[in-house]
């Protein structure tokens, strides 16, 4: 059965890529077009095959090609995250793909697992994978991993949040730097950190408009 699904899925992925290349010649993993679900029959077909595989087979039956194609599909499903949402209902599949995605270049799949790992409730203990997602060389993935850390390991979240605030990794990118700090404020708020007031004050003193705005909103909720 896995061989049949492997062929079926790979054909669906190939058809999607062909259509995507024609419609958006410059698209890539780093510059994903997004919103493939709008008037893109090939996207729907690819996702439907993935849904069928998850519903009817075990991850133990899968092949490396199928895993890669499923992760490719998840990466393209970055507007709705419907596939990852479904995986949470099939914990063995979630575990398999969550582990595998870290060794791929599918940035748009990595952040979806970083975001949802806090919602995983299967029997396998994979929560420590959040620390791997915190190290992924992608700002958005790191930001969402930090938020998940606040729910998975709240006792460790303060340390990472403060490190994120002060590091100079994204100093040459104002957008990334601002949104990293915004997430820091929200994480400190989520875990009821005693450091929150200090960082709200720092936000008020910053040059970032949305950081100040978020600080104001958090203060109103205290």
């Amino acid at each position: 059965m896995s061989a049949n699904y492997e062929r079926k899925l790979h054909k669906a992925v190939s058809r999607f890529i062909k259509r995507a290349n024609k419609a958006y010649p410059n698209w890539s993993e780093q510059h994903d077009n997004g919103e493939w679900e709008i008037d893109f029959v090939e996207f729907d077909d690819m996702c439907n095959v993935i849904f069928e595989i998850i519903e009817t087979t075990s991850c133990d039956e899968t092949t490396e090609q199928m895993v890669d194609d499923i992760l490719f599909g998840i990466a393209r499903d970055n507007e709705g995250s419907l596939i990852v949402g479904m995986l949470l209902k099939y914990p063995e599949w979630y575990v398999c793909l969550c582990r595998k995605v870290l060794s791929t270049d599918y940035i748009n799949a990595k952040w979806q697992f970083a975001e949802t790992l806090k919602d995983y409730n299967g029997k396998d203990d994979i929560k420590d994978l959040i620390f791997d997602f915190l190290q992924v060389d992608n700002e958005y993935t790191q930001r969402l991993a930090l938020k998940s850390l606040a729910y998975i390991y709240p006792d460790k979240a303060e340390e990472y949040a403060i490190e994120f605030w002060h590091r100079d990794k994204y100093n040459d990118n104002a957008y990334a730097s601002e949104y990293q700090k915004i997430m820091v404020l929200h994480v400190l708020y989520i875990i009821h950190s005693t450091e929150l007031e200090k960082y709200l004050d720092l936000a008020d003193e910053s040059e970032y408009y949305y950081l100040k705005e978020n600080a104001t909103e958090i203060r109103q909720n205290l």
Side-chain angles (χ1 to χ4, degrees):
M1 181 178 289
S2 62
N4 292 335
Y5 273 127
E6 181 180 292
R7 287 191 294 271
K8 185 176 181 180
L9 176 57
H10 199 59
K11 285 181 179 179
V13 169
S14 297
R15 285 193 294 269
F16 169 85
I17 292 173
K18 183 178 180 180
R19 170 75 191 282
N21 289 342
K22 183 177 181 180
Y24 304 99
N26 297 319
W27 81 276
S28 67
E29 186 67 30
Q30 289 73 27
H31 302 285
D32 184 88
N33 175 68
E35 299 185 353
W36 299 108
E37 65 274 13
I38 300 176
D39 297 326
F40 238 75
V41 175
E42 293 82 358
F43 172 80
D44 293 334
D45 291 344
M46 176 177 66
C47 289
N48 286 335
V49 176
I50 293 172
F51 292 144
E52 184 180 354
I53 290 171
I54 294 168
E55 288 176 333
T56 62
T57 71
S58 165
C59 59
D60 295 333
E61 302 174 46
T62 195
T63 65
E64 288 300 315
Q65 183 64 64
M66 288 171 66
V67 167
D68 187 75
D69 284 341
I70 292 172
L71 290 173
F72 174 86
I74 291 171
R76 304 289 68 79
D77 181 33
N78 56 68
E79 286 292 322
S81 296
L82 298 179
I83 300 173
V84 166
M86 181 181 183
L87 289 175
L88 288 168
K89 301 175 184 177
Y90 295 83
E92 291 184 0
W93 270 108
Y94 186 94
V95 170
C96 171
L97 295 169
C98 188
R99 285 176 172 153
K100 293 284 188 179
V101 74
L102 284 161
S103 60
T104 74
D105 294 325
Y106 294 131
I107 295 169
N108 292 291
K110 288 179 183 179
W111 67 253
Q112 293 180 65
F113 282 100
E115 182 179 36
T116 59
L117 187 55
K118 68 183 185 302
D119 304 314
Y120 166 79
N121 290 309
K123 64 181 180 180
D124 292 305
D125 187 5
I126 59 169
K127 299 294 189 180
D128 281 356
L129 289 179
I130 197 61
F131 297 107
D132 294 310
F133 286 107
L134 283 164
Q135 301 303 318
V136 169
D137 190 19
N138 174 258
E139 186 276 323
Y140 192 51
T141 303
Q142 291 182 356
R143 196 194 322 162
L144 293 179
L146 180 63
K147 184 177 181 180
S148 285
L149 184 68
Y151 294 96
I152 298 171
Y153 294 115
D155 58 319
K156 298 184 182 297
E158 182 180 275
E159 174 188 349
Y160 276 86
I162 292 172
E163 178 188 336
F164 271 43
W165 182 282
H166 292 289
R167 65 183 181 172
D168 58 6
K169 181 168 184 159
Y170 297 108
N171 279 356
D172 60 344
N173 184 332
Y175 174 89
S177 180
E178 180 173 18
Y179 277 84
Q180 287 267 305
K181 288 179 170 61
I182 288 172
M183 183 59 76
V184 168
L185 294 184
H186 285 280
V187 165
L188 294 177
Y189 174 73
I190 290 167
I191 65 173
H192 307 291
S193 170
T194 57
E195 295 289 313
L196 176 59
E197 285 288 349
K198 172 183 175 181
Y199 286 91
L200 289 173
D201 290 342
L202 288 174
D204 290 337
E205 297 167 5
S206 80
E207 59 185 14
Y208 295 132
Y209 174 83
Y210 292 110
L211 179 60
K212 291 179 180 179
E213 192 175 69
N214 275 262
T216 298
E217 291 175 0
I218 290 173
R219 286 189 191 279
Q220 291 172 348
N221 291 325
L222 290 176

